Amino acid sequence: MSITIGVKLDEEIRDRLKSLGTARQRSTHWLMREAIREYLEREEFIETRNREADEAWADYKRSGKFVSHDAMASWLDTWGTDQEGHAPETER
């Protein structure tokens, strides 16, 4: 089910939408829906990533567990080689 929501646009934005719609053979309505969909996907991804980072930080503050830079760098150096190693264990 679709609902209608009004959006007030200034003349320049409206004209740009019309021009792009003509060039792409799409309606301004389609362009606006697509732009909103892409915006929401991007922003929701950012929110998820930020929430996961906050949770990881809170977990670190509780546990004190970490992976040292040297251990991580050594592991990453094996990527793409025949001797690719396992992820390093956390330390305290």
Side-chain angles (χ1 to χ4, degrees):
M1 183 173 121
S2 296
I3 60 170
T4 301
I5 297 176
V7 178
K8 292 185 180 189
L9 303 173
D10 62 42
E11 210 171 310
E12 177 198 357
I13 297 294
R14 187 197 65 207
D15 291 344
R16 290 171 62 192
L17 275 169
K18 284 182 179 181
S19 293
L20 186 59
T22 299
R24 300 264 174 97
Q25 297 181 338
R26 293 288 187 170
S27 68
T28 56
H29 178 257
W30 186 91
L31 292 173
M32 289 186 291
R33 276 192 0 230
E34 187 66 11
I36 292 168
R37 185 190 61 75
E38 288 181 12
Y39 173 81
L40 287 172
E41 285 179 5
R42 182 181 67 238
E43 294 301 314
E44 288 167 346
F45 174 80
I46 290 169
E47 284 302 311
T48 298
R49 186 188 62 206
N50 289 345
R51 185 181 68 253
E52 289 170 352
D54 288 343
E55 290 169 1
W57 177 243
D59 184 54
Y60 167 73
K61 289 194 308 188
R62 271 192 309 276
S63 71
K65 293 182 179 180
F66 67 97
V67 175
S68 72
H69 172 78
D70 290 339
M72 183 61 71
S74 293
W75 176 52
L76 292 174
D77 286 342
T78 69
W79 283 21
T81 71
D82 293 338
Q83 290 80 34
E84 188 169 318
H86 295 287
E89 296 292 323
T90 56
E91 304 172 26
R92 207 150 211 257

